Each structure stands twice: as C-alpha cells, then as structure tokens.
Amino acid sequence: MLASARSLCRPPRTLDAALRRGLLTSRCFSSAPKISYPRWINNRADPQPRRPGSRGVVAVKAKRLPDAPVVQEIDHVADAEPRVVLLAEDDAASPPAAPPSSSDAASAPPSSNNDDDGPSDDRPPDNVEAAEESSPDSQTSAISKPAIPDYYPQVLALPIARRPLFPGFYKAVVVRNPNVVAAIEDMLRRGQAYIGAFLLKDADSDSDVLTDIDSVHRVGVFAQITSVFPVQPDNKEGEKDSKALTVVLFPHRRIRITSLLGAEGQAKVEDAATEVDISRESPPPHGIPPHLQTSFLLDHNVSVANVENLVQNPYDKKAQYVHAVTSELISVFKEIAQINPLFRDQIANFTSFQQSTTIFEEPDKLADFAAAVSAGEVGDLQDVLESMDVEDRLRKSLLVLKKELINAQLQQKIARDVESKIQKRQREYYLMEQLKGIKKELGIETDGKDKLLEKFRERAAQLKMPEAVRKVFDEELSKLSQLEPAAAEANVTRNYLDWLTQIPWGVHSPENYSITHAQKVLDEDHYGLRDVKDRILEFLAVGKLRGTVEGKIICFVGPPGVGKTSIGKSIARALNRQFFRFSVGGLTDVAEIKGHRRTYVGALPSKIIQALKRVGTENPLVLIDEVDKIGRGHNGDPSSALLEMLDPEQNTAFLDHYMDVPVDLSRVLFVCTANVLDTIPAPLLDRMEVMEVSGYVTEEKLQIADKYLEPQAKESSGLAKADVKLEEDAVDTLIKYYCRESGVRNLKKHIEKIYRKAALKIVQDLGEDVLPEQKIETTATVEADIPAPQNPTTATADGPEATDKTTTEAVGSVGVTTEERKPLEVPESVHIRITSGNLKDYVGPPIYHKDRLYVKPPPPGVSSGLGYLGNGSGAVMPIEATTMPGKGGLQLTGKLGEVIRESAQIALSWVKGHAYELGITKDPSEQFLADRDIHLHMPEGAIGKDGPSAGTAITSALVSLFTKTRIHPDIAMTGEISLVGQVLPVGGLKEKILAAHRAGIKKILAPAANQADIEENVPESVKHGIEFVYVDNVHQVLHEVFKGEPITERWKETLPLEEDEHDAEAK
C-alpha cells in the first residue's frame, strides 16, 4: 500500500519515535515515577529496569484487536468534519501502537498471559528502539501480547464533540484544559492510560470537563490513550501552548456512564434509570477496592465517572436478515468505493484485513466500520453506537451508509456536469484554434481579427470622412488590432467602428426640385389642402433656386387624421429623398436624442444617427412625430436636446454622446408634426416654420373617400374585382352622422368595416361549394406548444380518455409549407350596393342623432354658440341660463373649462354694469341680482368644453334672460368679449362654420377680425346659404340678435351703434 499513508496517518509506535519525529519532547515525561499497576487487572507486575542513558521516555504500544482494521480519525482543532484515513497495508500486517507491554518502562499494565512468575527488574531491556525497528522476527519476539482490562468501573470522563467514537477505530482529540492535561500525564506515568469518551449533546459546546451528566449521551466507549503530542503553536506571537495536547485514542468497547464523581469520590449526579451500586459489582481480584487505583484522579479537577460495560445481545450469524443486510452493506461499500477515492483505500484495507476470516462472521464490526467511515448526522451515528442489537445496528448503519452513497452520487454528478462544461469549452476552443490554423495554412481564410480590420478599412475607403473623423477612426482601428478578441474592450471598440463606418459620410441621394413633379405627387397623395400644397411648392421653389433646402424646419399643426404624416412622406417622394420617421411622444430620456455614453452596457447612438445608418444617405427627410407630446423625466429634458439637432446654426456639428465626433446634419430636412402649439417649448417653436393643416369639409371628405379610401378598403378586403359599391349617399350619411371629425381616419375605419362586412356576407351566402378551401401539401410538421393534460390517460383505447388523447395529438402537430396562398375570385354574379338605407346593417345605429338641440324658438335665456371640440370637429352648442332666488351667485355646469368660466364671469359683469342701458333696471343706482342666483349650463355635460369663443353667446343668453326676449334658433355666434364689450377674434372657424352649415344655421355672428380668414379659407360650398355678420363690440351683437324686438328701440338711445353715433355727431 501507499508509504505516504503510513508516514502521515500512522501514530508513532513508541514515544521515542515520536521524539524523533518532533511530535513530543522529552520534557513531557522526564520525571515519570515508578508505575503503580491496578491490581484488579493483572496478576503480577513485571516492569523492566530503565536503560542507562535513555532519554527519559518510554514506548507506548497500542494494541491491535484481532480481525479489526487500524483506522485513525483526526479530529482537528477547528470545527471541521473529522476525516477517517486508513493506514498502509504493511501497517495492517504489523501491530499498531498498543497499550504498553511488560517490556516498557512506562507501559500499561502487563499482560495476564505472562507465564514468567519470577522477579523482574525495573529497567527496560537495552536498545528498545533497535529491537523495535529490526527484522520482523526480532520485532515480534520483543513484544508480548498485551491484555485489555475487562473490568474498569471508574474512568476519566472525556467529552467528545461533533461525532462519537466506535470500537476498533482510532481518533485524535485535542485537550486544552490544564487540569485534564495534567491528569492524562499522571495517568500515563502510572500506566493507567484508559478513559471514557462520551459524545456531547450540544454540537456547539467544546469542553474537556464534564459537569453535568445530562450534557452527554450516556453510551460511550472505553478508550485507551496510545499517543500524545503537543499542539503546534496557533497564536499570533508563535508562542508554544504547553497546556494543550493531541491525544490519540483507541476505543475498545461500549460502556454506559452511571454516575459522575466529585473530588471526594462520592457520586454527584446519579442516573435514576441506570443507577449501579458499585459495591454489588463483582469484586476485583484479591478483593482490592476499585477506587484505590483511580483515586489519584480526584486530586485533579476533572470529571471522573462510574461506568458499566454494555454487552451485545446474542444473535445468529447465519440468520437470513443479518446475512442480507451484511451483503447490502458490502454492495453499498463497493458503490461508494467506485465514486469516492477516499473510501477506496479504507475499504480495501478493511477487506484485506478480513482475509483470515469472512466478513459475515463479524457483522457487528462491519456495522461499526460503516458508521466510523461515514460523515453522517451525529444523531444517526450515536444511534448506531447505542444499538446493542446487531440486526438493529446493521439496519441503522446501512441507512447512514446509504445517505453517504447518495451524497457521493450527487457530488459526482455535480463534478461531472462542471467538468463536462469545462471540457466542452476547452474542446471547442482547441478545435477552433486548429481550424483557424488549418485555414490560414491553406489560404482559405485569414485570421478573424485581420479580416475584421480589413472590412473596416474597406468601408472607410468608400466614405468621405472628415479629417477629424478619419483621425478617430485610425486610432480606434489601431487599438482594436492590439486587443485580444476575447477582451471586453475589443467588443466595445468593434461596435464603435461598426457604427462609425456605417454613417453615410459624404453619401447623398440626388434631389429633385421639379415643381411639376412635386405638384403631381402631392395631388396623387392628397385631396384639397390647397394652402398647404402651395406653401410646400414655395418651399421647393426656393430650394430649386438655392440648390438646397438647408436651414428649414417645417412643422405641420392640425387635428388628428388630416394627413400630417402622409404629407411628410409625399414631400420625401417629391424630393427623391429617403424617409425616416420616429415619434417623440412621451419621450423622457435625453439619451434618445443625444445618445448613450460608450461606457454603458448596451449603449446606442441617438435616433438621428440610427436614421442615417438606416437610410444610407446624409440628406434624408426625417419626420419627428408628436413633437407637442414630448415628455420630461429625471434623465433630462429631451425638448432642450432637440434644439441642438434642429437648430440650423448648431446641427452642422451635432455631437452625439456615443459617436463623440461631430456629425453634419445640415443636409437633413426635418419635418415635425403636432396637434397643438401650446405645449411646444417656445425656443423649439421659434426654430420651426409652422404650417397649419385644417380639417376637411364634407365635400372634401366625399372626394377623399371616393378616390383614396374606398379603393384601399376594397383591396385590403379582397374585393378589388368584386361588384361591391358604396353609394355616395351612404358616404354622406357616414360623414354627417358617424364621422364628424376634422380628419378622415375615423371615416377610413368605417369604410373598411363596411367592406369587411360585405366580404363576410359574400362568403356566408356562397358557401364552401363556390369558394372551396384550398388544399396545400405540407412538407413538414411542427409540434405546437400545447400543455400536456394534467391527468394522464390510463383507460383503454375505447374510452373517452383515449379520444381526448388522440385529439390532443392531432392538434399538437401543425403542417407547414412554403407555398403562397392564392386569392379567390368572387363570381361576377355577386352584386352588393351599400346605400343610406341599409348602412345601419353594416355600421350600426348613428352616433350623432341631430345637429342642434333647439329647432323651434327656445325660451328666453337660450342662445346658440359655435364651439371647437377636442377631436378637431366643430359643433353648435346651446347655452342655457336661468335665475332663482339667492344671494347673487353664479353657478356653471356642463364640464366647463377655466377659460370658458372666465368668459361667463366677464359676460355677467358686463350685463350688471349695463343693466340700466339694457332696460333691466329702471334706475342706474338700482341694485341688480342682489337676491337672485344665476345658473348657466351648456348641454351634453359629458363633453368637455373650454375656450374663449363663447363670450358673445353667453352675453346674449344673459340679456335674453333678464329682458325676457327670445333669440331666433337660426342665429349662431362665436367670439371672445372683453370687459368693456369688445369682440375679439377666435380660431377654428372652418370647423365651426361647417357645423353650422350641417345644422342649418342661417346667420352667423363672427368677429370682424376673422372676416379675411373666413373669406379666404372657408370653401364657398360651406358658406352657401349662411349670412355672415361681422361685429366689433357687444352693442352690434345685441342689435343683430334681437333685431325687430321692441327692446331694441330703447337700445338705439341707450346702446347706440357706431353709425348712429356718427350721425348724431354730424347733426
């Protein structure tokens, strides 16, 4: 066997040998007195005289039990698990360190088998070491067979931590208590090197003195001290701890502690269950009292205990259960030996030592061996130790060993998995390196890094990089050539060079500034929008003369669905530029505009750099959508970052955080879109050229539906060649009662819904006979991701479970193909017409039922105003006012905004201030509304309303209420009023007039400042049949609204018009 195992694990055979190894010094036992032998153990003493000139130490021989392996258990000082190591094979053939023989000066009690009755000398024989280390024959003749005392009722009780001891297997423990160390030295000097070792119940406690009998397990082992070694220095100063010893113990048999003795030799703690009367024990030989030989231990402050031997229950070695469990233990040992190399030597030594007899002859020792070499739970090991029934002990040992096998298998699996992963990676790396070398030798492929560098050089050669950019490119390329491909910096540099060489430096698309071509493109894509098209053509004409459109940023503002984004696409097609769109609605991270730093993981350049890479030219048209909805978060203000990108004075050298080189964006045409201008920051709005895109009137929507929306909807529904027609009256009904928005997006959705319904009707009416489903041959099958049933089927094939299983399997396999599906032709016999009469069957009931609330003359206090809704459409909104007893308060309802509430307060204040002129009061000093409250309401309270354009209508409603005069329902008005009665201009007149035209309004009162806007931008078809009255102040409004009423005769004097004032002055 291994010689290293013998030299490292075997304890020294003699204390002289320990001295030579440096494990023990001569000072430990230099003053050893003459040995006093326990007379109940031996018949006679036969000490040998000490050899002159000896070093004052004696050899302590350890006994080897017959048919038992020599195992040393090293219990380290730290809280490590004890490890069991087998001695070498040649040690198994020779006796281990045994209890001192009769030929040693400081040995254990002499053997009872010594037949020499003559007197003996006190000196040991000469050259003990020489005799010990000579030939095997001389060594055998020099050692007599020792005897282990069978009766030893009083021992030093030594607590053991972490795991119990088992008979026949060495274990080394560290003793640090000075009193215990002194007692052990005294025991060795007296030749009574026997102790009782008991396992502590508390695994965290570590004590050498037993103070409470309940702190340890009652069953322990009777052990012999074979060797002692001083503990190596472990303190920082390196000073030797002279009070600590490593004691090597060899357990012989199981014992039970019955009581714990104090200093006077009386029992301090008695075991009620197992109390033993020592006087009733079988008396020792010659009638010597038992306490005489161990009474010296009471002089030390140590724990001395009364113990009794435990006798193993008789059993039948040939019993079937014993034989079966023993065989299973051997089988488990073999499995562990194949997995754990540490067990292999231990098991080999044990089995080789049992060659003289079969293992089945001593199953109790096999059970102890299994527990001794296992690193199981402390409680399980103690149960094995306490088992006196061999069958029970074998069963418990098998359980412990099975756990050890499972642990070893788990460790092997983990090690195998880790090793396989490592080996796979190493193998792949090795093969890749070989492949690179082979390809390089054959000239098939150069090194990957060289190829990458060459690719970057080829890209850069095709670009017109500025000098500053070229310098950065060369530096980064040189850095990449010096980095290893596996380095993290190499990946960052490679990505940076990839972006740097994909920016289209100096690459642009040829531009087309043809006005005729631009006019054709705009008319093909959009109907109407004459003012917007004219502005775009002007913009292109300037670019044609200058040769560039640099420095221009267009911003289209208008309600949703009017075609702002599509106008940008049309401009790009007209100019022959690449188009790229990105939205900034809700954007809160400034890094989307300026890019990320390269130091961040997953860093990317800004959106504009990504746009340049995508389009491949440096002069694209970039559409920035929803610029009015840009956000602001904790990562900066994106709207401020847009200034550098959009400002013509700054974007010639736009600095992206990722690229870190100036990029010229002056050739990029930026087009922005927004719904409102209020939320756009003023500095950003100042850099834009705003073009307002207003909504469409009914005639324009009809043309758009006929030329654009219907053909697209038919094509997308598969009815391009079918005779399905949406009549004009149906489209007009859609526009008036379903889609009143300024844009046409909602109208497009409804037309698509109509054609989808028509497609469904055709398929259902014709059926599968006329429109059969095509059969396509599948080329492969793909297992669908269908969860398995929770209850596996165990029934017969005829049962319902089998049917479910078959269905699941059929659904789980899906056929796939690469063949394109061909569209079906609708027969010519199919004719469908959608009119206003059957339109309800396709889109449901109308959303808008009537255009105005009051058709007949309303009661006093009601007027009609014109409002602009949030969806971009106009509406005729009635305003109702009433009065009630109160304290002069004003109550406003109808989901009114802050601005419209202020307009109501202004109107009421103006009416109160002119109550006498209006004829409401009879005297100018008369109190008005001191005891009355006013309630103002605007119907359809679920619709939010805001804006100043209802000022004239609110004033008219209040005057009508207080003068008890009706307002004709065909009159509508819009305009903001001031506190002195001036009428100010408003917006959204095109949509408002369209709503009035749809509602049948005959007369509209509008601010005089809006006259040019109405005459220029509102189509004549919308203005047809409507009388427009332009007013400058409230006096004109009231005279026009209440024209022909008796109250107006008084107003000619109290509220004269400007013409009347001029006539009076002329007279």
Side-chain angles (χ1 to χ4, degrees):
M1 298 300 289
L2 299 175
S4 59
R6 179 175 64 251
S7 59
L8 294 177
C9 303
R10 185 180 61 188
R13 294 171 180 166
T14 65
L15 295 183
D16 285 344
L19 282 171
R20 289 198 304 273
R21 294 192 200 177
L23 300 176
L24 191 64
T25 60
S26 60
R27 294 195 304 269
C28 296
F29 306 105
S30 59
S31 60
K34 187 176 179 179
I35 299 175
S36 175
Y37 299 99
R39 281 174 285 178
W40 65 76
I41 298 176
N42 305 290
N43 295 327
R44 56 178 299 170
D46 190 16
Q48 297 294 331
R50 184 172 300 173
R51 175 170 51 88
S54 65
R55 292 169 292 180
V57 294
V58 295
V60 180
K61 297 295 183 179
K63 174 191 174 185
R64 179 187 299 275
L65 290 177
D67 304 331
V70 181
V71 179
Q72 179 183 3
E73 299 187 20
I74 305 299
D75 191 1
H76 296 282
V77 179
D79 292 337
E81 286 294 330
R83 305 184 69 86
V84 181
V85 183
L86 261 70
L87 295 179
E89 186 177 359
D90 54 349
D91 291 336
S94 62
S101 65
S102 58
S103 60
D104 295 328
S107 63
S111 173
S112 59
N113 297 329
N114 192 350
D115 297 330
D116 187 6
D117 297 333
S120 60
D121 194 358
D122 291 340
R123 294 185 299 106
D126 295 338
N127 200 4
V128 175
E129 293 295 331
E132 179 182 315
E133 299 177 3
S134 60
S135 64
D137 296 337
S138 61
Q139 183 179 5
T140 305
S141 61
I143 301 176
S144 61
K145 186 176 181 180
I148 304 302
D150 296 331
Y151 181 73
Y152 212 95
Q154 196 174 90
V155 293
L156 169 66
L158 184 64
I160 302 298
R162 289 183 288 277
R163 62 182 287 124
L165 278 65
F166 289 90
F169 303 100
Y170 282 95
K171 182 171 183 179
V173 297
V174 177
V175 179
R176 298 187 180 277
N177 191 295
N179 297 324
V180 180
V181 171
I184 290 175
E185 292 175 351
D186 197 2
M187 292 167 61
L188 291 174
R189 286 193 295 267
R190 296 173 181 270
Q192 302 180 26
Y194 301 102
I195 67 167
F198 302 93
L199 178 65
L200 287 166
K201 293 181 180 180
D202 188 2
D204 297 330
S205 63
D206 188 8
S207 175
D208 296 333
V209 178
L210 184 60
T211 58
D212 185 6
I213 195 172
D214 293 329
S215 63
V216 295
H217 294 277
R218 298 298 179 89
V219 177
V221 292
F222 175 77
Q224 177 185 357
I225 301 175
T226 62
S227 303
V228 291
F229 311 118
V231 175
Q232 296 298 327
D234 56 356
N235 47 13
K236 296 181 179 180
E237 294 78 7
E239 296 179 0
K240 187 174 181 180
D241 188 2
S242 60
K243 297 299 183 182
L245 288 178
T246 297
V247 181
V248 180
L249 303 177
F250 184 81
H252 290 286
R253 59 177 177 268
R254 290 170 169 81
I255 59 174
R256 178 187 288 114
I257 184 173
T258 58
S259 60
L260 193 63
L261 302 182
E264 292 80 11
Q266 300 298 328
K268 295 171 58 179
V269 181
E270 293 294 338
D271 186 1
T274 59
E275 183 176 357
V276 178
D277 188 0
I278 299 178
S279 61
R280 296 182 181 178
E281 293 285 338
S282 58
H286 311 291
I288 304 298
H291 68 275
L292 294 179
Q293 302 303 325
T294 54
S295 59
F296 67 93
L297 292 175
L298 300 178
D299 297 336
H300 305 278
N301 190 11
V302 296
S303 52
V304 181
N306 290 329
V307 297
E308 63 177 358
N309 295 335
L310 294 179
V311 181
Q312 184 172 278
N313 297 338
Y315 66 97
D316 184 8
K317 298 180 181 180
K318 298 182 180 180
Q320 184 178 2
Y321 182 83
V322 174
H323 190 276
V325 178
T326 304
S327 301
E328 182 64 20
L329 277 172
I330 296 173
S331 175
V332 175
F333 268 126
K334 290 179 181 179
E335 293 183 27
I336 298 179
Q338 295 176 359
I339 299 174
N340 193 342
L342 183 62
F343 275 78
R344 197 170 302 153
D345 294 338
Q346 300 170 355
I347 298 170
N349 192 2
F350 180 80
T351 54
S352 64
F353 192 79
Q354 296 292 333
Q355 289 178 358
S356 59
T357 181
T358 60
I359 298 178
F360 295 94
E361 292 295 328
E362 294 180 334
D364 54 339
K365 293 185 179 180
L366 180 63
D368 288 344
F369 174 70
V373 298
S374 300
E377 297 291 336
V378 177
D380 296 340
L381 299 179
Q382 182 65 27
D383 288 343
V384 175
L385 182 66
E386 294 179 358
S387 298
M388 302 310 297
D389 183 74
V390 175
E391 293 184 359
D392 185 55
R393 189 188 307 173
L394 286 171
R395 181 180 57 80
K396 293 180 179 179
S397 298
L398 179 60
L399 178 62
V400 172
L401 202 60
K402 282 284 188 180
K403 293 181 180 178
E404 189 73 22
L405 175 61
I406 295 174
N407 186 34
Q409 290 174 344
L410 180 59
Q411 291 178 355
Q412 184 188 36
K413 180 180 180 301
I414 294 173
R416 189 179 302 160
D417 293 343
V418 175
E419 184 178 359
S420 63
K421 290 181 181 179
I422 296 175
Q423 288 179 353
K424 182 180 178 182
R425 293 178 183 175
Q426 291 178 345
R427 180 174 177 272
E428 290 177 354
Y429 176 77
Y430 178 72
L431 292 177
M432 288 300 297
E433 292 297 325
Q434 280 188 331
L435 183 61
K436 290 179 183 178
I438 293 172
K439 289 184 177 181
K440 190 173 183 181
E441 290 295 330
L442 295 176
I444 299 176
E445 183 180 352
T446 59
D447 186 65
K449 185 169 66 174
D450 296 337
K451 186 177 180 180
L452 185 64
L453 296 176
E454 185 63 27
K455 181 183 71 172
F456 288 142
R457 291 192 184 96
E458 291 177 357
R459 285 185 186 176
Q462 300 175 1
L463 303 174
K464 291 183 179 180
M465 289 184 178
E467 290 299 325
V469 179
R470 176 69 66 175
K471 182 179 179 181
V472 173
F473 171 76
D474 294 338
E475 291 176 356
E476 294 294 329
L477 196 66
S478 176
K479 181 197 297 184
L480 182 61
S481 63
Q482 298 174 4
L483 292 173
E484 290 294 331
E489 183 67 19
N491 189 36
V492 176
T493 306
R494 182 180 62 82
N495 290 338
Y496 177 71
L497 287 173
D498 190 31
W499 279 101
L500 195 64
T501 55
Q502 291 198 45
I503 295 178
W505 305 100
V507 179
H508 62 277
S509 59
E511 296 176 322
N512 185 2
Y513 291 108
S514 173
I515 301 299
T516 305
H517 174 69
Q519 181 74 49
K520 179 182 178 182
V521 170
L522 293 175
D523 289 341
E524 288 178 355
D525 296 343
H526 298 84
Y527 180 84
L529 302 177
R530 181 55 49 195
D531 53 345
V532 176
K533 293 180 180 179
D534 292 342
R535 294 284 296 275
I536 293 173
L537 294 177
E538 295 170 2
F539 176 76
L540 297 180
V542 174
K544 184 178 182 67
L545 296 177
R546 291 185 56 206
T548 180
V549 290
E550 296 178 3
K552 297 297 181 181
I553 302 172
I554 305 174
C555 181
F556 294 114
V557 180
V562 296
K564 299 184 293 297
T565 303
S566 59
I567 290 175
K569 293 181 180 179
S570 300
I571 296 174
R573 191 159 71 93
L575 290 174
N576 193 30
R577 289 194 177 201
Q578 297 292 329
F579 179 78
F580 183 86
R581 171 194 171 274
F582 71 92
S583 176
V584 295
L587 187 67
T588 60
D589 191 359
V590 73
E592 296 291 333
I593 308 298
K594 294 285 291 180
H596 301 84
R597 303 287 182 184
R598 288 205 305 272
T599 54
Y600 298 146
V601 177
L604 286 174
S606 60
K607 285 289 187 182
I608 187 62
I609 300 298
Q610 298 179 35
L612 295 178
K613 175 185 175 182
R614 180 76 60 85
V615 300
T617 60
E618 65 177 4
N619 64 336
L621 186 146
V622 177
L623 179 70
I624 305 176
D625 218 351
E626 309 294 348
V627 73
D628 59 326
K629 300 176 182 62
I630 192 168
R632 182 172 184 174
H634 64 280
N635 291 328
D637 186 8
S639 62
S640 300
L642 277 176
L643 296 177
E644 181 183 356
M645 188 173 71
L646 299 181
D647 191 355
E649 302 298 329
Q650 303 181 44
N651 61 12
T652 55
F654 175 73
L655 192 63
D656 183 88
H657 289 162
Y658 183 88
M659 305 306 301
D660 205 21
V661 292
V663 181
D664 187 8
L665 302 180
S666 60
R667 303 193 65 178
V668 179
L669 178 60
F670 291 100
V671 177
C672 302
T673 65
N675 296 124
V676 293
L677 297 177
D678 301 338
T679 56
I680 301 177
L684 185 61
L685 185 62
D686 183 60
R687 289 164 171 79
M688 299 178 180
E689 185 175 351
V690 179
M691 294 185 182
E692 185 176 354
V693 183
S694 58
Y696 300 100
V697 297
T698 303
E699 288 75 12
E700 293 174 335
K701 288 184 178 181
L702 286 172
Q703 295 296 328
I704 292 172
D706 181 61
K707 294 182 179 180
Y708 303 98
L709 302 183
E710 288 186 40
Q712 294 176 4
K714 289 183 68 175
E715 182 71 25
S716 62
S717 302
L719 302 175
K721 299 181 181 180
D723 187 13
V724 180
K725 179 63 177 177
L726 181 62
E727 300 293 345
E728 185 176 350
D729 61 335
V731 178
D732 184 70
T733 305
L734 271 179
I735 295 172
K736 290 181 178 180
Y737 298 102
Y738 293 88
C739 310
R740 290 185 178 180
E741 298 81 9
S742 297
V744 294
R745 182 174 291 129
N746 193 30
L747 179 61
K748 179 182 178 181
K749 294 178 182 178
H750 279 76
I751 292 176
E752 290 176 348
K753 183 178 180 179
I754 290 172
Y755 280 102
R756 288 197 305 269
K757 290 275 189 179
L760 177 62
K761 181 178 178 59
I762 291 173
V763 174
Q764 289 178 343
D765 292 345
L766 296 179
E768 294 292 335
D769 296 336
V770 181
L771 299 174
E773 179 64 21
Q774 299 180 14
K775 295 183 179 180
I776 302 176
E777 295 183 0
T778 58
T779 58
T781 58
V782 177
E783 293 298 328
D785 187 11
I786 299 177
Q790 296 181 355
N791 298 323
T793 52
T794 57
T796 61
D798 297 333
E801 293 84 356
T803 304
D804 296 341
K805 181 178 180 181
T806 305
T807 304
T808 303
E809 292 179 353
V811 176
S813 59
V814 180
V816 296
T817 182
T818 58
E819 183 180 349
E820 295 290 337
R821 185 184 181 93
K822 297 180 181 179
L824 297 178
E825 296 290 339
V826 179
E828 296 180 356
S829 59
V830 176
H831 305 283
I832 296 179
R833 295 292 182 271
I834 297 98
T835 63
S836 59
N838 61 357
L839 182 65
K840 184 178 180 181
D841 298 335
Y842 292 88
V843 293
I847 299 175
Y848 306 99
H849 299 280
K850 52 185 179 181
D851 295 308
R852 58 179 180 176
L853 187 62
Y854 294 100
V855 180
K856 298 180 180 180
V862 178
S863 65
S864 298
L866 298 176
Y868 183 82
L869 303 180
N871 59 2
S873 64
V876 177
M877 295 186 296
I879 299 173
E880 302 172 343
T882 185
T883 181
M884 65 203 76
K887 298 181 180 180
L890 176 63
Q891 184 177 358
L892 303 172
T893 57
K895 202 176 181 180
L896 308 181
E898 187 65 28
V899 178
I900 202 169
R901 288 175 176 272
E902 293 177 355
S903 298
Q905 292 286 352
I906 293 172
L908 181 60
S909 298
W910 189 89
V911 172
K912 285 183 177 181
H914 297 80
Y916 176 73
E917 290 84 353
L918 292 172
I920 300 174
T921 60
K922 299 180 180 180
D923 187 83
S925 61
E926 182 180 347
Q927 290 289 334
F928 176 55
L929 296 178
D931 55 351
R932 306 287 295 180
D933 285 345
I934 299 175
H935 186 175
L936 187 69
H937 176 68
M938 299 180 69
E940 297 191 38
I943 301 176
K945 310 167 189 68
D946 201 2
S949 60
T952 55
I954 295 174
T955 305
S956 300
L958 293 176
V959 173
S960 172
L961 175 66
F962 296 135
T963 60
K964 297 179 175 56
T965 306
R966 298 173 182 267
I967 300 177
H968 199 280
D970 291 338
I971 299 176
M973 63 202 78
T974 182
E976 178 183 0
I977 65 169
S978 66
L979 197 58
V980 296
Q982 295 294 318
V983 178
L984 306 179
V986 293
L989 287 171
K990 184 177 180 180
E991 289 76 13
K992 294 176 182 178
I993 295 173
L994 179 60
H997 175 79
R998 189 171 53 243
I1001 298 296
K1002 303 300 182 181
K1003 182 185 291 186
I1004 295 178
L1005 277 65
N1010 291 117
Q1011 182 176 356
D1013 185 18
I1014 294 175
E1015 294 176 354
E1016 181 70 20
N1017 297 323
V1018 179
E1020 291 296 331
S1021 59
V1022 176
K1023 294 185 292 184
H1024 179 71
I1026 300 178
E1027 178 186 358
F1028 289 90
V1029 178
Y1030 301 102
V1031 294
D1032 291 320
N1033 53 48
V1034 179
H1035 296 181
Q1036 299 175 359
V1037 173
L1038 296 179
H1039 278 279
E1040 190 65 34
V1041 169
F1042 297 98
K1043 180 184 290 186
E1045 297 293 336
I1047 192 65
T1048 56
E1049 297 297 330
R1050 171 184 172 85
W1051 291 348
K1052 291 180 180 179
E1053 298 179 0
T1054 57
L1055 295 174
L1057 300 176
E1058 293 183 356
E1059 294 81 0
D1060 298 338
E1061 294 178 356
H1062 292 314
D1063 294 342
E1065 291 178 358
K1067 293 180 180 180

